[in-house]
Amino acid sequence: MPTVLELRESENRSPNPQLGRHKMPVWAGRVIFWSLAIFAALNLLLWNVDKDKKSNDVWKGTGSIDLAVNGLRALPGKPGTVLLGSSLIMYPFWTMDRDRYGAIPDILHHHDSLVLQQELKNAGFANPSVYSLAVFGQMVSDSYIYVNEYLKGDKKPEYLIYGIAPRDFNDSDLSGPMSTNTFKRLIGLDNFASYANLYLPGLQDKVDFVAAHVCFFYSKRQRIQHEFDKGIIKAYKALGLEPPPRSAGGQDGQAGFMLSGSKDERWANSETEAARRYKNIAERDLGVQTGFLSRLLDVCQDRGIKVVVVNMPLSVDNRNLLPAGFYNTFRQKLQGLSDRKGVKLVDLGQSNDFVNSDFWDTVHLEHSGGYKLLKHVLPALNELRSDNAASSPAAQRRTASVN
């Protein structure tokens, strides 16, 4: 006869061990499977639609980047010289060509420099062809990507003319090197490993990058939040209530480079934009971008590309927007970084050769300023050509035979 303890233990034991487990119904598994399948298909569809839209928008999206990169790829041969930088390089070379040759494509579709090409041809350069990889808003970190990714193999030029200014090292509109259109367009999952530690040092940054390239909705979270905020404001107004204040951020509604308007309008607009972009520049760490400049020059040196670094001319009004002493420190940093073999620094930031009439606005040179710019750049190119010729094996053999 069983004891009381044995009876209690038998009551606690389930006669069927499977009854203690929860098994998912078949219909629930099917719902999950089809939900994931529909989400994946929708995600893929939205990626493709959005990609096409961004590619076609050359003024507000990343289409201008596609034009520059695809144009380089389509070249039948190797460019002799490549122009690199932001609109500070784009505009003077474009407007010189328009001044001398008349009808040319708009600034985003014109990647030649006919004037510079003719000057190089007159100077006897073996390959006078020129291609411009300059893109609006290009930061130094962006320039590194263009050089590292595209100036190699059969597209490796002999010379690189790289125009820079303080804004290329710090722009208050951007939170970091990964916030630029160039980074967003040219860095993906296929080349992520090569740039992850440079542009995304933190683990969270890397996770966000991967998630944003896998999940469409996650990549558009800021746009979704923006649209949600707009809906909330409309709802408040419909109810006759005061909408909550919106935080300022991004570039919405902010003035940019004006391609039209009177001189006074362009000048005033340019001052406003520069003051915004220079905000807190003295307190910001420029070491990140100067590090990218050093890496860019390293790559060029390794590949045998000779570089003319041009500290681009700025109007007095623009320089006066910078904190006291900042510009001299900036110039000293450029001198130190450019002090290497195969690099010439042309420092025009405070050159007296350029007057206000040479500028379209406070930072962009007109064609008259562009012609003055060439008078400083061409001698630097000739020096690099002479240095290259002197260091060639044939020249060294001639020197050895004389000695």
Side-chain angles (χ1 to χ4, degrees), residues 71 86 290 299:
S86 66
T290 55
V299 172

Side-chain angles (χ1 to χ4, degrees), residues 93-365:
F93 285 93
W94 174 74
T95 194
M96 279 191 291
D97 282 1
R98 186 180 62 173
D99 173 66
R100 182 174 293 183
Y101 297 100
I104 59 172
D106 66 60
I107 191 170
L108 295 183
H109 290 82
H110 186 68
H111 295 283
D112 302 312
S113 177
L114 304 176
V115 171
L116 175 57
Q117 181 171 304
Q118 186 60 49
E119 293 290 340
L120 294 175
K121 185 176 180 180
N122 294 341
F125 279 75
N127 182 0
S129 64
V130 181
Y131 187 82
S132 176
L133 262 180
V135 174
F136 277 11
Q138 192 175 127
M139 302 290 287
V140 181
S141 52
D142 298 329
S143 303
Y144 170 74
I145 294 174
Y146 288 109
V147 170
N148 192 54
E149 286 286 313
Y150 303 109
L151 299 189
K152 56 186 177 181
D154 63 349
K155 295 299 181 284
K156 178 181 75 70
E158 189 168 359
Y159 303 100
L160 176 68
I161 300 175
Y162 183 30
I164 51 179
R167 197 248 17 133
D168 305 340
F169 291 79
N170 175 81
D171 189 334
S172 65
D173 287 349
L174 302 169
S175 60
M178 73 292 293
S179 303
T180 68
N181 281 339
T182 291
F183 180 85
K184 293 175 181 177
R185 183 59 173 165
L186 300 181
I187 306 303
L189 295 178
D190 56 334
N191 57 359
F192 167 68
S194 301
Y195 297 93
N197 291 331
L198 291 177
Y199 292 79
L200 305 164
L203 177 60
Q204 184 61 49
D205 295 327
K206 294 181 177 67
V207 172
D208 284 344
F209 179 89
V210 174
H213 283 73
V214 172
C215 179
F216 177 85
F217 295 102
Y218 186 80
S219 71
K220 304 302 176 187
R221 60 195 183 281
Q222 293 180 343
R223 187 194 300 179
I224 293 172
Q225 180 65 49
H226 177 73
E227 295 299 325
F228 179 78
D229 290 344
K230 286 170 59 177
I232 292 294
I233 290 174
K234 288 182 180 179
Y236 268 79
K237 290 181 177 179
L239 295 173
L241 301 175
E242 182 68 22
R246 296 180 63 185
S247 59
Q251 300 180 1
D252 291 347
Q254 297 172 340
F257 175 31
M258 291 180 64
L259 290 170
S260 60
S262 69
K263 180 84 170 185
D264 289 341
E265 289 173 334
R266 299 194 305 267
W267 206 267
N269 177 80
S270 178
E271 285 187 302
T272 300
E273 182 186 16
R276 186 188 76 245
R277 292 180 183 272
Y278 289 160
K279 185 179 179 181
N280 300 325
I281 193 170
E283 289 78 36
R284 300 286 288 271
D285 179 16
L286 303 187
V288 173
Q289 294 293 344
T290 55
F292 280 111
L293 177 56
S294 181
R295 293 183 185 93
L296 182 154
L297 296 176
D298 286 341
V299 172
C300 288
Q301 195 167 47
D302 291 343
R303 296 177 184 175
I305 303 173
K306 308 299 185 296
V307 184
V308 176
V309 177
V310 185
N311 185 25
M312 294 295 288
L314 299 175
S315 67
V316 175
D317 289 344
N318 186 278
R319 296 199 305 269
N320 286 341
L321 296 172
L322 292 164
F326 174 86
Y327 198 57
N328 286 333
T329 302
F330 171 76
R331 294 174 65 203
Q332 291 171 4
K333 288 183 178 179
L334 288 186
Q335 290 173 1
L337 290 167
S338 303
D339 186 16
R340 59 167 73 196
K341 183 179 180 182
V343 178
K344 297 291 182 183
L345 174 63
V346 178
D347 188 353
L348 302 176
Q350 293 180 312
S351 173
N352 294 325
D353 288 353
F354 300 88
V355 296
N356 282 358
S357 59
D358 292 322
F359 288 88
W360 173 260
D361 54 25
T362 67
V363 293
H364 298 93
L365 290 172

